[in-house]
Amino acid sequence: MLFYSFYKTLVGKEITVELKNDLSITGLLQSVDQFLNIKLKDIKINEEQKYPYMLSVRNCFIRGSVVRYVHLPAEDVDVETLQDHSRLEAREQKKMQQMQQQQQQQSSK
Amino acid sequence: MSFGSAGLGDEVDKKLIVVLRDGRKYIGIMRTYDQFANIILQDTIERAYCGEYYSDKSLGVFFIRGDNVVILGEIDTEKESLEKKLIKVSWDEIQRMLQIEKQKREEEEQLKKRVMAESGLTFDSILNLDDF
Amino acid sequence: MSDKKEEGTVEEPLDLIRLSLDERIFVKMRQDRELKGKLHAYDQHLNMILSDVEETIKVVEKDEETDEEIVKSIKRNIKMLFIRGDGVILINF
């Protein structure tokens, strides 16, 4: 959920989404969901002539699983908070695992 | 809260271009969707592109499984007029062009693969996204 | 006491990544890509955010003098980058 929450803080900002097939799309982040699917507004395509099918598209939905990188606006990223949240989430993840293990042990008894 | 599929609600009943992982492009009216980004497209055409040429084939109603979707793009009528610069050819013709292009790309990849292997490097194809 | 243990020791692979927060790491990616950058965030899928990233891509190009195909490295710099975890092969500290 860390990155989902993070992306929500970037709504309205300009990002560049680089896909695994090398297509790069720059646009304003409109919305994001827990799969990190992304919706962009007012898009621009790098190397437009290579992707004629994107010419008539202004807004688009990008499936999270085809994303390679997202270039972020550095000035809008608070790295301190990110690091804290990463540690917090790691800790919560461990707690969840321990709880699940305990439950499994109990149910197998 | 938009649960899954980043809220495709705005796109319902709009004309979309759907790009699939194998590179195919479908254009149609999206009638409904779910949290997996499965969608129903009506009055669908498949559009094939090659350089400055394109061709269409009418296909009717489609269910598209969300996993295969790369991009859903809303067709903007204002921007669509830009696309008119492309030249329409017959379906058979565009398939011939694509076949030639594909062969060329495959040859380039083969060469790349060989040179990379000689330098002790691996090579991942980007011809389609089927690996992901 | 238990908190100290949590912060300092490595019990599972992801712990080592936690300890590398705010440090520069090397990431090898699919499609012959390599990244160097400072780690600021990660999750259990190995999605990450790196800053001051240098990406190296290997491409095959014709050498202009010998006319032979050779492998070249292309570098680019990115200020702040999100990396999707499914493309990660390995991380080096």
Side-chain angles (χ1 to χ4, degrees), chain C residues 1-46:
Chain C
M1 184 65 193
S2 66
D3 253 20
K4 264 235 168 73
K5 187 186 161 220
E6 191 175 61
E7 293 301 327
T9 57
V10 176
E11 292 170 340
E12 55 175 41
L14 282 173
D15 290 340
L16 197 57
I17 299 173
R18 191 189 68 235
L19 293 173
S20 304
L21 281 165
D22 212 22
E23 307 276 344
R24 283 189 79 78
I25 59 170
F26 168 91
V27 186
K28 190 171 157 54
M29 305 276 298
R30 294 177 69 161
Q31 298 180 332
D32 313 298
R33 286 161 194 271
E34 294 171 0
L35 302 166
K36 274 181 218 153
K38 198 175 187 184
L39 179 68
H40 294 297
Y42 76 95
D43 66 10
Q44 72 272 33
H45 309 291
L46 291 186

Tab-separated table of all heavy atoms in Angstrom, chain C residues 1-46:
chain	number	residue	atom	x	y	z
C	1	MET	N	14.235	-3.570	23.451
C	1	MET	CA	15.135	-4.675	23.077
C	1	MET	C	14.669	-5.330	21.778
C	1	MET	O	15.427	-5.492	20.845
C	1	MET	CB	15.164	-5.706	24.227
C	1	MET	CG	16.146	-6.869	24.007
C	1	MET	SD	17.877	-6.328	23.982
C	1	MET	CE	18.678	-7.769	23.328
C	2	SER	N	13.391	-5.653	21.729
C	2	SER	CA	12.895	-6.327	20.531
C	2	SER	C	12.977	-5.386	19.319
C	2	SER	O	13.190	-5.828	18.199
C	2	SER	CB	11.462	-6.805	20.739
C	2	SER	OG	10.609	-5.696	20.878
C	3	ASP	N	12.806	-4.094	19.580
C	3	ASP	CA	12.901	-3.106	18.509
C	3	ASP	C	14.305	-3.065	17.920
C	3	ASP	O	14.484	-3.004	16.720
C	3	ASP	CB	12.540	-1.709	19.051
C	3	ASP	CG	11.176	-1.279	18.538
C	3	ASP	OD1	10.425	-2.182	18.131
C	3	ASP	OD2	10.899	-0.081	18.548
C	4	LYS	N	15.293	-3.094	18.786
C	4	LYS	CA	16.702	-3.084	18.373
C	4	LYS	C	16.980	-4.251	17.445
C	4	LYS	O	17.574	-4.100	16.399
C	4	LYS	CB	17.602	-3.214	19.625
C	4	LYS	CG	18.096	-1.875	20.160
C	4	LYS	CD	19.621	-1.866	20.263
C	4	LYS	CE	20.177	-0.487	20.503
C	4	LYS	NZ	19.943	0.004	21.873
C	5	LYS	N	16.495	-5.412	17.849
C	5	LYS	CA	16.708	-6.620	17.067
C	5	LYS	C	16.100	-6.441	15.669
C	5	LYS	O	16.702	-6.756	14.658
C	5	LYS	CB	16.049	-7.795	17.787
C	5	LYS	CG	16.360	-9.135	17.151
C	5	LYS	CD	15.568	-10.255	17.810
C	5	LYS	CE	15.520	-11.467	16.925
C	5	LYS	NZ	14.226	-12.118	16.926
C	6	GLU	N	14.909	-5.877	15.654
C	6	GLU	CA	14.206	-5.676	14.388
C	6	GLU	C	15.003	-4.755	13.456
C	6	GLU	O	15.094	-4.998	12.268
C	6	GLU	CB	12.842	-5.066	14.695
C	6	GLU	CG	11.918	-5.056	13.494
C	6	GLU	CD	10.549	-4.548	13.867
C	6	GLU	OE1	10.471	-3.397	14.314
C	6	GLU	OE2	9.585	-5.308	13.733
C	7	GLU	N	15.588	-3.726	14.004
C	7	GLU	CA	16.292	-2.760	13.171
C	7	GLU	C	17.639	-3.281	12.686
C	7	GLU	O	18.094	-2.922	11.614
C	7	GLU	CB	16.507	-1.441	13.942
C	7	GLU	CG	15.224	-0.689	14.257
C	7	GLU	CD	14.420	-0.317	13.014
C	7	GLU	OE1	15.042	-0.056	11.969
C	7	GLU	OE2	13.187	-0.308	13.093
C	8	GLY	N	18.326	-4.106	13.527
C	8	GLY	CA	19.720	-4.410	13.244
C	8	GLY	C	20.019	-5.711	12.540
C	8	GLY	O	20.987	-5.793	11.804
C	9	THR	N	19.233	-6.743	12.705
C	9	THR	CA	19.630	-8.054	12.210
C	9	THR	C	18.948	-8.412	10.892
C	9	THR	O	17.951	-7.828	10.515
C	9	THR	CB	19.290	-9.161	13.232
C	9	THR	OG1	17.889	-9.089	13.491
C	9	THR	CG2	20.070	-8.982	14.507
C	10	VAL	N	19.553	-9.377	10.228
C	10	VAL	CA	19.013	-9.826	8.953
C	10	VAL	C	18.498	-11.252	9.108
C	10	VAL	O	19.260	-12.190	9.246
C	10	VAL	CB	20.091	-9.757	7.856
C	10	VAL	CG1	19.550	-10.315	6.549
C	10	VAL	CG2	20.560	-8.327	7.659
C	11	GLU	N	17.189	-11.388	9.107
C	11	GLU	CA	16.587	-12.720	9.243
C	11	GLU	C	16.094	-13.236	7.907
C	11	GLU	O	16.028	-14.437	7.672
C	11	GLU	CB	15.416	-12.662	10.222
C	11	GLU	CG	15.848	-12.380	11.655
C	11	GLU	CD	14.667	-12.076	12.553
C	11	GLU	OE1	13.601	-11.721	12.017
C	11	GLU	OE2	14.822	-12.195	13.769
C	12	GLU	N	15.707	-12.331	7.065
C	12	GLU	CA	15.206	-12.724	5.746
C	12	GLU	C	15.722	-11.723	4.712
C	12	GLU	O	16.155	-10.623	5.072
C	12	GLU	CB	13.678	-12.785	5.759
C	12	GLU	CG	13.049	-11.485	6.234
C	12	GLU	CD	11.530	-11.489	6.141
C	12	GLU	OE1	10.942	-12.522	6.467
C	12	GLU	OE2	10.971	-10.468	5.718
C	13	PRO	N	15.703	-12.107	3.428
C	13	PRO	CA	16.328	-11.265	2.396
C	13	PRO	C	15.902	-9.799	2.419
C	13	PRO	O	16.736	-8.907	2.268
C	13	PRO	CB	15.897	-11.940	1.092
C	13	PRO	CG	15.722	-13.365	1.458
C	13	PRO	CD	15.190	-13.367	2.851
C	14	LEU	N	14.606	-9.562	2.618
C	14	LEU	CA	14.133	-8.178	2.556
C	14	LEU	C	14.715	-7.294	3.659
C	14	LEU	O	14.764	-6.074	3.521
C	14	LEU	CB	12.603	-8.130	2.607
C	14	LEU	CG	11.874	-8.479	1.311
C	14	LEU	CD1	10.376	-8.564	1.550
C	14	LEU	CD2	12.156	-7.464	0.217
C	15	ASP	N	15.180	-7.926	4.756
C	15	ASP	CA	15.779	-7.132	5.849
C	15	ASP	C	17.014	-6.376	5.367
C	15	ASP	O	17.277	-5.253	5.792
C	15	ASP	CB	16.190	-8.039	7.015
C	15	ASP	CG	14.980	-8.598	7.737
C	15	ASP	OD1	13.891	-7.995	7.586
C	15	ASP	OD2	15.117	-9.610	8.428
C	16	LEU	N	17.765	-7.020	4.484
C	16	LEU	CA	18.981	-6.388	3.999
C	16	LEU	C	18.644	-5.164	3.149
C	16	LEU	O	19.374	-4.171	3.158
C	16	LEU	CB	19.801	-7.399	3.183
C	16	LEU	CG	21.265	-7.027	2.955
C	16	LEU	CD1	21.989	-6.802	4.261
C	16	LEU	CD2	21.966	-8.101	2.145
C	17	ILE	N	17.540	-5.247	2.464
C	17	ILE	CA	17.102	-4.094	1.673
C	17	ILE	C	16.665	-2.958	2.596
C	17	ILE	O	16.980	-1.799	2.358
C	17	ILE	CB	15.974	-4.511	0.702
C	17	ILE	CG1	16.514	-5.583	-0.243
C	17	ILE	CG2	15.468	-3.309	-0.092
C	17	ILE	CD1	15.491	-6.204	-1.126
C	18	ARG	N	16.009	-3.322	3.691
C	18	ARG	CA	15.594	-2.288	4.650
C	18	ARG	C	16.812	-1.547	5.180
C	18	ARG	O	16.801	-0.325	5.317
C	18	ARG	CB	14.807	-2.914	5.805
C	18	ARG	CG	14.122	-1.859	6.668
C	18	ARG	CD	13.528	-2.429	7.937
C	18	ARG	NE	14.550	-2.879	8.850
C	18	ARG	CZ	14.629	-4.096	9.367
C	18	ARG	NH1	13.725	-5.003	9.060
C	18	ARG	NH2	15.606	-4.413	10.184
C	19	LEU	N	17.870	-2.302	5.452
C	19	LEU	CA	19.077	-1.679	6.004
C	19	LEU	C	19.794	-0.807	4.967
C	19	LEU	O	20.685	-0.045	5.306
C	19	LEU	CB	20.035	-2.760	6.530
C	19	LEU	CG	19.518	-3.517	7.752
C	19	LEU	CD1	20.431	-4.674	8.101
C	19	LEU	CD2	19.353	-2.589	8.945
C	20	SER	N	19.414	-0.942	3.715
C	20	SER	CA	20.053	-0.136	2.663
C	20	SER	C	19.288	1.139	2.337
C	20	SER	O	19.668	1.866	1.416
C	20	SER	CB	20.192	-0.958	1.390
C	20	SER	OG	20.906	-2.132	1.679
C	21	LEU	N	18.212	1.391	3.059
C	21	LEU	CA	17.489	2.651	2.844
C	21	LEU	C	18.437	3.808	3.076
C	21	LEU	O	19.240	3.795	4.009
C	21	LEU	CB	16.293	2.756	3.805
C	21	LEU	CG	15.044	1.960	3.415
C	21	LEU	CD1	14.078	1.847	4.586
C	21	LEU	CD2	14.350	2.572	2.207
C	22	ASP	N	18.355	4.799	2.200
C	22	ASP	CA	19.231	5.971	2.253
C	22	ASP	C	20.684	5.658	1.851
C	22	ASP	O	21.575	6.477	2.050
C	22	ASP	CB	19.192	6.625	3.643
C	22	ASP	CG	19.389	8.145	3.566
C	22	ASP	OD1	19.133	8.709	2.488
C	22	ASP	OD2	19.816	8.749	4.557
C	23	GLU	N	20.912	4.465	1.277
C	23	GLU	CA	22.251	4.107	0.780
C	23	GLU	C	22.183	3.921	-0.733
C	23	GLU	O	21.119	3.657	-1.288
C	23	GLU	CB	22.714	2.769	1.385
C	23	GLU	CG	22.658	2.666	2.889
C	23	GLU	CD	23.887	3.245	3.564
C	23	GLU	OE1	24.889	3.445	2.846
C	23	GLU	OE2	23.831	3.492	4.774
C	24	ARG	N	23.345	4.016	-1.378
C	24	ARG	CA	23.365	3.761	-2.817
C	24	ARG	C	23.411	2.257	-3.068
C	24	ARG	O	24.171	1.529	-2.434
C	24	ARG	CB	24.575	4.446	-3.463
C	24	ARG	CG	24.374	5.946	-3.638
C	24	ARG	CD	25.465	6.577	-4.462
C	24	ARG	NE	25.297	6.376	-5.885
C	24	ARG	CZ	24.435	7.075	-6.649
C	24	ARG	NH1	23.669	7.976	-6.106
C	24	ARG	NH2	24.349	6.839	-7.937
C	25	ILE	N	22.575	1.800	-3.993
C	25	ILE	CA	22.554	0.377	-4.337
C	25	ILE	C	22.693	0.218	-5.852
C	25	ILE	O	22.529	1.164	-6.607
C	25	ILE	CB	21.256	-0.327	-3.854
C	25	ILE	CG1	20.019	0.338	-4.462
C	25	ILE	CG2	21.179	-0.340	-2.342
C	25	ILE	CD1	18.731	-0.439	-4.238
C	26	PHE	N	23.006	-1.023	-6.239
C	26	PHE	CA	23.116	-1.378	-7.658
C	26	PHE	C	21.998	-2.377	-7.950
C	26	PHE	O	21.835	-3.346	-7.205
C	26	PHE	CB	24.496	-2.005	-7.890
C	26	PHE	CG	24.644	-2.667	-9.223
C	26	PHE	CD1	25.114	-1.946	-10.313
C	26	PHE	CD2	24.337	-4.011	-9.387
C	26	PHE	CE1	25.259	-2.569	-11.557
C	26	PHE	CE2	24.474	-4.629	-10.626
C	26	PHE	CZ	24.938	-3.904	-11.709
C	27	VAL	N	21.230	-2.114	-8.993
C	27	VAL	CA	20.123	-3.001	-9.336
C	27	VAL	C	20.299	-3.505	-10.757
C	27	VAL	O	20.483	-2.713	-11.682
C	27	VAL	CB	18.753	-2.282	-9.233
C	27	VAL	CG1	17.618	-3.273	-9.456
C	27	VAL	CG2	18.604	-1.585	-7.894
C	28	LYS	N	20.267	-4.828	-10.918
C	28	LYS	CA	20.291	-5.399	-12.274
C	28	LYS	C	18.862	-5.724	-12.662
C	28	LYS	O	18.134	-6.375	-11.916
C	28	LYS	CB	21.161	-6.657	-12.293
C	28	LYS	CG	21.431	-7.178	-13.685
C	28	LYS	CD	22.472	-8.293	-13.650
C	28	LYS	CE	22.376	-9.206	-14.861
C	28	LYS	NZ	22.429	-8.524	-16.148
C	29	MET	N	18.484	-5.236	-13.847
C	29	MET	CA	17.111	-5.394	-14.308
C	29	MET	C	17.056	-6.289	-15.542
C	29	MET	O	18.071	-6.507	-16.201
C	29	MET	CB	16.534	-4.026	-14.713
C	29	MET	CG	16.589	-2.959	-13.659
C	29	MET	SD	15.227	-3.048	-12.543
C	29	MET	CE	13.845	-2.773	-13.654
C	30	ARG	N	15.858	-6.760	-15.857
C	30	ARG	CA	15.675	-7.492	-17.128
C	30	ARG	C	15.922	-6.537	-18.292
C	30	ARG	O	16.020	-5.338	-18.119
C	30	ARG	CB	14.252	-8.040	-17.178
C	30	ARG	CG	14.016	-9.095	-16.115
C	30	ARG	CD	12.598	-9.561	-16.152
C	30	ARG	NE	12.364	-10.317	-17.383
C	30	ARG	CZ	11.334	-11.150	-17.538
C	30	ARG	NH1	10.482	-11.323	-16.580
C	30	ARG	NH2	11.168	-11.803	-18.670
C	31	GLN	N	16.016	-7.125	-19.486
C	31	GLN	CA	16.291	-6.370	-20.715
C	31	GLN	C	17.633	-5.648	-20.633
C	31	GLN	O	17.790	-4.553	-21.170
C	31	GLN	CB	15.170	-5.374	-21.023
C	31	GLN	CG	13.844	-6.056	-21.267
C	31	GLN	CD	12.731	-5.088	-21.572
C	31	GLN	OE1	12.745	-3.945	-21.139
C	31	GLN	NE2	11.741	-5.540	-22.319
C	32	ASP	N	18.611	-6.279	-19.977
C	32	ASP	CA	20.000	-5.778	-19.949
C	32	ASP	C	20.116	-4.344	-19.451
C	32	ASP	O	20.816	-3.533	-20.041
C	32	ASP	CB	20.631	-5.885	-21.343
C	32	ASP	CG	20.380	-7.233	-21.963
C	32	ASP	OD1	20.836	-8.216	-21.380
C	32	ASP	OD2	19.683	-7.301	-22.995
C	33	ARG	N	19.433	-4.052	-18.367
C	33	ARG	CA	19.502	-2.715	-17.788
C	33	ARG	C	20.104	-2.790	-16.398
C	33	ARG	O	19.850	-3.733	-15.655
C	33	ARG	CB	18.099	-2.108	-17.670
C	33	ARG	CG	17.553	-1.679	-18.998
C	33	ARG	CD	16.064	-1.520	-18.959
C	33	ARG	NE	15.593	-1.428	-20.328
C	33	ARG	CZ	15.496	-0.281	-21.001
C	33	ARG	NH1	15.756	0.859	-20.410
C	33	ARG	NH2	15.100	-0.281	-22.246
C	34	GLU	N	20.922	-1.796	-16.085
C	34	GLU	CA	21.524	-1.722	-14.754
C	34	GLU	C	21.296	-0.325	-14.188
C	34	GLU	O	21.380	0.665	-14.911
C	34	GLU	CB	23.024	-1.996	-14.829
C	34	GLU	CG	23.329	-3.425	-15.244
C	34	GLU	CD	24.803	-3.659	-15.530
C	34	GLU	OE1	25.606	-2.713	-15.412
C	34	GLU	OE2	25.133	-4.798	-15.891
C	35	LEU	N	21.020	-0.267	-12.889
C	35	LEU	CA	20.749	1.019	-12.242
C	35	LEU	C	21.643	1.181	-11.029
C	35	LEU	O	21.907	0.216	-10.315
C	35	LEU	CB	19.288	1.082	-11.762
C	35	LEU	CG	18.178	0.886	-12.783
C	35	LEU	CD1	16.857	0.647	-12.068
C	35	LEU	CD2	18.067	2.105	-13.666
C	36	LYS	N	22.097	2.419	-10.833
C	36	LYS	CA	22.765	2.760	-9.581
C	36	LYS	C	22.033	3.961	-9.020
C	36	LYS	O	21.778	4.931	-9.752
C	36	LYS	CB	24.217	3.139	-9.843
C	36	LYS	CG	25.145	1.950	-9.869
C	36	LYS	CD	26.567	2.421	-10.103
C	36	LYS	CE	27.295	1.442	-11.002
C	36	LYS	NZ	28.363	2.076	-11.761
C	37	GLY	N	21.713	3.924	-7.732
C	37	GLY	CA	21.011	5.068	-7.159
C	37	GLY	C	20.811	4.883	-5.681
C	37	GLY	O	21.124	3.832	-5.114
C	38	LYS	N	20.307	5.940	-5.059
C	38	LYS	CA	20.098	5.935	-3.615
C	38	LYS	C	18.683	5.452	-3.323
C	38	LYS	O	17.716	5.997	-3.871
C	38	LYS	CB	20.304	7.352	-3.085
C	38	LYS	CG	20.546	7.431	-1.610
C	38	LYS	CD	20.861	8.876	-1.266
C	38	LYS	CE	21.282	9.051	0.166
C	38	LYS	NZ	21.475	10.476	0.478
C	39	LEU	N	18.574	4.442	-2.467
C	39	LEU	CA	17.273	3.817	-2.185
C	39	LEU	C	16.469	4.632	-1.174
C	39	LEU	O	16.970	4.964	-0.100
C	39	LEU	CB	17.498	2.403	-1.651
C	39	LEU	CG	16.238	1.609	-1.288
C	39	LEU	CD1	15.441	1.270	-2.539
C	39	LEU	CD2	16.589	0.347	-0.518
C	40	HIS	N	15.227	4.944	-1.533
C	40	HIS	CA	14.375	5.701	-0.604
C	40	HIS	C	13.121	4.958	-0.198
C	40	HIS	O	12.536	5.250	0.838
C	40	HIS	CB	13.992	7.047	-1.208
C	40	HIS	CG	15.156	7.951	-1.391
C	40	HIS	ND1	15.903	8.409	-0.330
C	40	HIS	CD2	15.738	8.450	-2.507
C	40	HIS	CE1	16.886	9.171	-0.791
C	40	HIS	NE2	16.809	9.201	-2.106
C	41	ALA	N	12.677	4.010	-1.016
C	41	ALA	CA	11.476	3.263	-0.656
C	41	ALA	C	11.475	1.916	-1.351
C	41	ALA	O	12.044	1.772	-2.441
C	41	ALA	CB	10.232	4.052	-1.047
C	42	TYR	N	10.857	0.924	-0.719
C	42	TYR	CA	10.692	-0.396	-1.336
C	42	TYR	C	9.481	-1.061	-0.703
C	42	TYR	O	9.029	-0.648	0.366
C	42	TYR	CB	11.947	-1.258	-1.128
C	42	TYR	CG	12.053	-1.817	0.266
C	42	TYR	CD1	11.591	-3.104	0.573
C	42	TYR	CD2	12.560	-1.043	1.301
C	42	TYR	CE1	11.650	-3.596	1.869
C	42	TYR	CE2	12.620	-1.530	2.600
C	42	TYR	CZ	12.166	-2.811	2.881
C	42	TYR	OH	12.209	-3.282	4.156
C	43	ASP	N	8.951	-2.084	-1.372
C	43	ASP	CA	7.917	-2.913	-0.746
C	43	ASP	C	8.218	-4.384	-1.016
C	43	ASP	O	9.263	-4.698	-1.595
C	43	ASP	CB	6.507	-2.502	-1.198
C	43	ASP	CG	6.271	-2.779	-2.690
C	43	ASP	OD1	7.113	-3.451	-3.311
C	43	ASP	OD2	5.245	-2.311	-3.200
C	44	GLN	N	7.315	-5.269	-0.609
C	44	GLN	CA	7.610	-6.708	-0.706
C	44	GLN	C	7.681	-7.215	-2.142
C	44	GLN	O	8.176	-8.300	-2.386
C	44	GLN	CB	6.608	-7.526	0.130
C	44	GLN	CG	5.205	-7.616	-0.423
C	44	GLN	CD	4.318	-6.465	0.045
C	44	GLN	OE1	4.750	-5.346	0.250
C	44	GLN	NE2	3.036	-6.759	0.201
C	45	HIS	N	7.161	-6.450	-3.116
C	45	HIS	CA	7.289	-6.851	-4.525
C	45	HIS	C	8.616	-6.379	-5.125
C	45	HIS	O	8.883	-6.624	-6.299
C	45	HIS	CB	6.168	-6.237	-5.361
C	45	HIS	CG	4.806	-6.463	-4.812
C	45	HIS	ND1	4.222	-7.708	-4.787
C	45	HIS	CD2	3.911	-5.623	-4.230
C	45	HIS	CE1	3.022	-7.606	-4.237
C	45	HIS	NE2	2.810	-6.350	-3.886
C	46	LEU	N	9.411	-5.668	-4.337
C	46	LEU	CA	10.650	-5.024	-4.796
C	46	LEU	C	10.384	-3.841	-5.716
C	46	LEU	O	11.265	-3.448	-6.493
C	46	LEU	CB	11.606	-6.019	-5.458
C	46	LEU	CG	12.222	-7.034	-4.502
C	46	LEU	CD1	13.256	-7.871	-5.233
C	46	LEU	CD2	12.873	-6.348	-3.316
